[in-house]
């Protein structure tokens, strides 16, 4: 199974530059990654994305339709995209033998992904099917101030506990300044306190207290210094990524498999109950075993009229090697779930007809 690498970070930390560098490095090694862009507001991508949210959601139309600003438009676009994420999962599954890594670039506004329902849906969908690792990109050159550094670390800590996944902190832009000072601050409490003593604000006192709290967080944290511009540090990054995958298999996979089974059981039970209620409500009306509405049925789309229809995934598309893929919005193959639905309806119809014949 491919390794899903979720790249997160503050605006300007160099997430997109890192994704570009990772993709280029893997391409050079003849191990092309499957790349997904989740930022609907980005103008130009410096890498070829296999799946691009901009091909699926019209960001500016979302802003107009709902009367939103830029951030609200990004959140809503991501929410609309998340409703079709099951199709993204199908694409990843189809290409899993060809790509060892799936790299996901997230919106520049980090809170849009980390604290939204859609971010949770996407993260859990990936983590319940594939080994997944969160990569938190940090601007080293902007973290030379101990208070700014602590703010970054607190945010990293909150994301670690929110995502419940293996976590790597990538200290980017080491071509500007070496990250050794930050590593020293994490390993040596006294050194960090000395740096804080030069600050006299109230925030420095708060930071001094918080640094004690983060000691345990630091002890198990994977940290790598890289330069997305020069490509330095990537060998160590892939070493840490391999360790993170081992950690996922050992500590996280059992929990996500349990979560997936629980959700599947709950959804199956809910669907069966809904069908039983539907049958009771229909009374003596004879039910024909109609197929489910197509995904492009206007009555089923609702607010996702704003989602573009980009064609189908047919056998010819599967065989053809392409740099870019679009999300399949007109799936021609009938899923197992749809087949089960129709079988259940047919069985129920037959039972009802037999019961009616006996009554007559």
């Amino acid at each position: 199974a491919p390794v899903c690498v979720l790249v997160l970070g503050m605006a300007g930390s160099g997430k997109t530059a890192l994704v570009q560098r990772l993709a280029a490095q893997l391409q050079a090694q003849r191990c092309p990654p499957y790349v997904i862009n989740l930022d609907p507001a980005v103008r130009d991508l410096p890498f070829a994305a296999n799946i691009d949210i901009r091909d699926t959601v019209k960001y500016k139309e979302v802003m107009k339709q709902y009367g939103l600003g830029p951030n609200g438009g990004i959140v809503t676009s991501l929410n609309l995209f998340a409703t079709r994420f099951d199709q993204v999962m199908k694409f990843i599954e189809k290409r899993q033998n060809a790509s060892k890594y799936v790299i996901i670039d997230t919106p520049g506004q980090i809170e849009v992904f980390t604290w939204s329902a859609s971010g949770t849906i996407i993260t859990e969908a990936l983590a319940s099917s594939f080994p997944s690792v969160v990569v938190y990109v940090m601007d080293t050159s902007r973290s030379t101030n101990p208070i700014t550094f602590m703010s970054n670390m607190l945010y990293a800590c909150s994301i670690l506990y929110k995502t419940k996944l293996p976590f790597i902190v990538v200290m980017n832009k080491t071509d500007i300044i070496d990250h050794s000072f930050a590593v020293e601050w994490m390993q040596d409490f006294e050194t960090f306190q000395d740096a804080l003593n030069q600050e006299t604000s109230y925030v420095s006192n708060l930071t001094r207290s918080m640094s004690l709290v983060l000691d345990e967080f630091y002890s198990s944290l994977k940290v790598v210094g890289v330069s997305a511009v020069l490509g330095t540090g990537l060998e160590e990054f892939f070493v840490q990524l391999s360790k993170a995958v081992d950690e996922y298999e050992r500590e996280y996979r059992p929990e996500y498999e349990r979560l997936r089974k629980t959700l599947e059981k709950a959804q199956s039970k809910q669907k069966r109950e809904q069908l039983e209620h539907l049958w009771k409500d229909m009374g003596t009306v004879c039910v024909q075993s109609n197929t489910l509405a197509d995904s492009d049925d206007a009555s089923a789309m609702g607010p996702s009229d704003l989602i573009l229809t980009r064609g189908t995934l047919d056998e010819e598309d599967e065989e053809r090697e392409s740099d870019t893929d679009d999300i399949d919005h007109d799936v021609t193959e009938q899923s197992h779930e749809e087949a089960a639905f129709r079988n259940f309806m047919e069985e129920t119809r037959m039972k009802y007809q037999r019961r009616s014949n006996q009554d007559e």
Side-chain angles (χ1 to χ4, degrees), residues 1-4 89 92-93 96 100 123-133 163-166 242-264:
V3 176
C4 293
M89 295 296 291
I92 296 173
E93 286 165 9
Q96 62 182 330
K100 189 177 177 183
T123 302
E124 289 187 352
L126 291 169
S128 60
S129 298
F130 308 106
S132 301
V133 178
T163 57
K164 300 183 182 69
L165 282 172
S242 178
K243 290 180 181 178
V245 171
D246 292 340
E247 183 184 343
Y248 169 88
E249 297 289 354
R250 186 175 63 252
E251 298 179 20
Y252 293 90
R253 183 184 283 279
E255 180 62 25
Y256 273 104
E257 285 184 349
R258 187 193 62 76
L259 174 66
R260 184 175 59 183
K261 287 175 183 175
T262 303
L263 285 172
E264 284 173 356

Side-chain angles (χ1 to χ4, degrees), residues 59-68:
Y59 164 66
K60 289 191 176 178
E61 286 299 315
V62 169
M63 288 173 63
K64 286 180 189 175
Q65 183 74 26
Y66 293 95
L68 299 168

Side-chain angles (χ1 to χ4, degrees), residues 8-11 15 107-115 136 155 159:
L8 308 174
M10 300 286 190
K15 295 186 298 297
Q109 291 78 357
I110 187 171
E111 67 281 355
V112 167
F113 189 84
T114 54
W115 302 111
Y136 180 79
Y155 211 103
I159 295 170

Side-chain angles (χ1 to χ4, degrees), residues 80-231:
L80 288 170
F81 188 79
T83 64
R84 302 290 180 91
F85 201 74
D86 59 323
Q87 295 179 33
V88 177
M89 295 296 291
K90 288 175 185 174
F91 272 108
I92 296 173
E93 286 165 9
K94 285 179 185 292
R95 304 302 171 106
Q96 62 182 330
N97 293 328
S99 298
K100 189 177 177 183
Y101 297 98
V102 177
I103 304 175
I104 300 105
D105 192 15
T106 57
Q109 291 78 357
I110 187 171
E111 67 281 355
V112 167
F113 189 84
T114 54
W115 302 111
S116 67
S118 51
T120 302
I121 289 167
I122 290 170
T123 302
E124 289 187 352
L126 291 169
S128 60
S129 298
F130 308 106
S132 301
V133 178
V134 172
V135 172
Y136 180 79
V137 184
M138 179 176 150
D139 187 340
T140 312
S141 63
R142 292 184 183 175
S143 300
T144 53
N145 181 293
I147 293 172
T148 310
F149 170 80
M150 179 56 67
S151 299
N152 248 316
M153 288 296 103
L154 286 171
Y155 211 103
C157 183
S158 67
I159 295 170
L160 169 68
Y161 288 108
K162 177 75 166 58
T163 57
K164 300 183 182 69
L165 282 172
F167 198 84
I168 301 173
V169 172
V170 169
M171 294 186 175
N172 193 21
K173 305 187 183 180
T174 54
D175 52 298
I176 299 174
I177 183 169
D178 191 82
H179 69 295
S180 56
F181 76 92
V183 174
E184 190 177 5
W185 281 353
M186 295 167 70
Q187 293 176 347
D188 190 338
F189 178 77
E190 298 285 336
T191 306
F192 185 69
Q193 293 301 311
D194 290 342
L196 265 180
N197 288 338
Q198 298 172 26
E199 303 286 336
T200 56
S201 64
Y202 163 74
V203 181
S204 66
N205 293 327
L206 177 64
T207 304
R208 188 173 285 106
S209 302
M210 293 305 298
S211 64
L212 289 166
V213 176
L214 291 185
D215 248 8
E216 186 179 343
F217 171 66
Y218 290 154
S219 63
S220 58
L221 195 63
K222 297 176 180 65
V223 179
V224 186
V226 306
S227 168
V229 173
L230 302 178

